[in-house]
Amino acid sequence: SFRELVLESKKHVFVVASAAWCGACQALKPRWEQLAQALAAEHSVTIASVDMEENELPNRYFPETYIPNVKLFILGKKRNPVPFKGGGSASFEELARFLQEHTGICVRTAIELAYPAYCERLGIDAFLQELRSAAKRRPLQRAPGQHGRKVLAAFLYEYLLDPSH
């Protein structure tokens, strides 16, 4: 229920009320999902989405009739949510800045904290080791006057197309 998920939560809750038929809601959706993904490792906030076609929100907290309707329920002040005025045209940066201004949560810091687990999950270290080994087996050929970035880009392109080469 809304009471359990938002009001009784021990976290800040950033909520968007939206609907599938709403163009502005659909425009906001990718940036909202990006924000939720960026903050996945941040345990003091929940980024939530409520479909107004399937759920009813308490009129006390959402008396407005428009969507998307974005509000921040701050831990310790949940009875007085802070409305976000950007609507469907809000950028990722605007959403992140609003959240940081009102909660102190920095999206960049959350991403940095999550990065080691992200790299492990995707096998980045193993991939980099594989590239290092390939570079040792096949020295980079640099033509006179050719920038190192171009040589490296050519190597990566060739290696990614055919790792056995």
Side-chain angles (χ1 to χ4, degrees):
S1 74
F2 179 82
R3 185 170 52 85
E4 292 167 340
L5 296 173
V6 176
L7 300 178
E8 293 176 358
S9 169
K10 303 291 185 221
K11 302 177 179 186
H12 305 293
V13 183
F14 204 12
V15 180
V16 60
S18 63
W21 52 263
C22 167
C25 299
Q26 295 310 306
L28 179 62
K29 189 175 181 177
R31 293 181 300 283
W32 195 257
E33 290 172 353
Q34 182 184 16
L35 183 66
Q37 186 176 17
L39 291 167
E42 178 55 62
H43 301 293
S44 65
V45 66
T46 298
I47 307 300
S49 203
V50 177
D51 185 337
M52 295 307 293
E53 291 294 304
E54 297 177 12
N55 301 285
E56 232 177 271
L57 291 174
N59 226 18
R60 178 173 192 258
Y61 301 105
F62 288 88
E64 306 84 3
T65 57
Y66 60 85
I67 53 176
N69 190 346
V70 182
K71 295 201 177 179
L72 176 60
F73 291 80
I74 299 172
L75 185 61
K77 302 177 186 176
K78 299 237 179 135
R79 300 286 176 195
N80 297 306
V82 182
F84 176 77
K85 303 291 184 192
S89 64
S91 69
F92 174 83
E93 291 77 15
E94 290 169 328
L95 293 165
R97 189 171 31 255
F98 178 83
L99 188 64
Q100 185 170 358
E101 284 173 9
H102 293 283
T103 65
I105 295 169
C106 177
V107 172
R108 181 184 185 112
T109 301
I111 291 170
E112 289 171 357
L113 288 172
Y115 188 72
Y118 172 80
C119 288
E120 187 174 325
R121 189 174 70 247
L122 294 179
I124 301 294
D125 286 338
F127 177 67
L128 290 176
Q129 186 57 42
E130 182 183 327
L131 284 176
R132 282 186 199 102
S133 296
K136 288 177 184 176
R137 288 191 310 271
R138 189 173 14 160
L140 302 178
Q141 300 299 317
R142 186 173 182 172
Q146 190 177 28
H147 290 285
R149 287 188 300 256
K150 281 189 175 184
V151 173
L152 182 58
F155 165 76
L156 288 172
Y157 180 74
E158 184 180 310
Y159 180 77
L160 293 173
L161 287 177
D162 183 10
S164 65
H165 179 72

